[in-house]
Amino acid sequence: MDDLTTLARHHLDQAKSDPHGRSAHLFLHDGPLRQSVIAMVSGCELDEHNAPPAASLQVLHGHVRLTGGGDRMDLIAGQVQGIPHERHGLRALEDSVVLLTAVTATHGCPTPNEEAAATA
């Protein structure tokens, strides 16, 4: 069993000493399910990247901004948000740690983009 509080503290300490200002750890990998702790110092940014078929972001510590599709959403500790099904980025507005939960494959279960394409 992993302790999220301990992981968050450890990786925030790592991020503070990292030249890129971040530290991440994949701590659960079960088939298509992935859970990672990502720590970022204030001002650190994850550039836009593609979305997995399904994902959520929970803020464990701090304040982050999730961007995607021209939208932006500020999230604080205790809040959880689904990841947009499009390219998106993340910026730490203060020293922050997030829990990323992602499903990397959906065998027999179409993603929202696949559903939209099928009905178009």
Side-chain angles (χ1 to χ4, degrees):
M1 173 173 32
D2 290 290
D3 182 319
L4 286 177
T5 302
T6 301
L7 284 172
R9 283 188 194 129
H10 172 75
H11 286 282
L12 190 52
D13 288 344
Q14 294 285 103
K16 288 177 182 178
S17 64
D18 182 83
H20 300 288
R22 61 183 181 240
S23 178
H25 174 65
L26 172 66
F27 67 91
L28 186 125
H29 181 182
D30 184 8
L33 176 65
R34 311 277 190 280
Q35 285 193 303
S36 300
V37 168
I38 303 169
M40 303 165 61
V41 297
S42 182
C44 181
E45 206 165 340
L46 297 178
D47 292 332
E48 281 199 354
H49 51 279
N50 292 327
S56 68
L57 190 72
Q58 179 180 358
V59 182
L60 301 175
H61 174 81
H63 183 184
V64 298
R65 177 169 293 149
L66 179 62
T67 60
D71 294 329
R72 67 183 205 184
M73 182 174 308
D74 286 3
L75 302 166
I76 59 171
Q79 293 182 318
V80 63
Q81 176 64 42
I83 300 287
H85 294 284
E86 56 202 15
R87 289 184 60 79
H88 62 279
L90 186 67
R91 179 179 179 84
L93 301 177
E94 59 185 55
D95 290 354
S96 301
V97 183
V98 298
L99 171 64
L100 173 65
T101 301
V103 176
T104 59
T106 55
H107 301 291
C109 182
T111 67
N113 290 341
E114 292 167 340
E115 284 178 351
T119 59

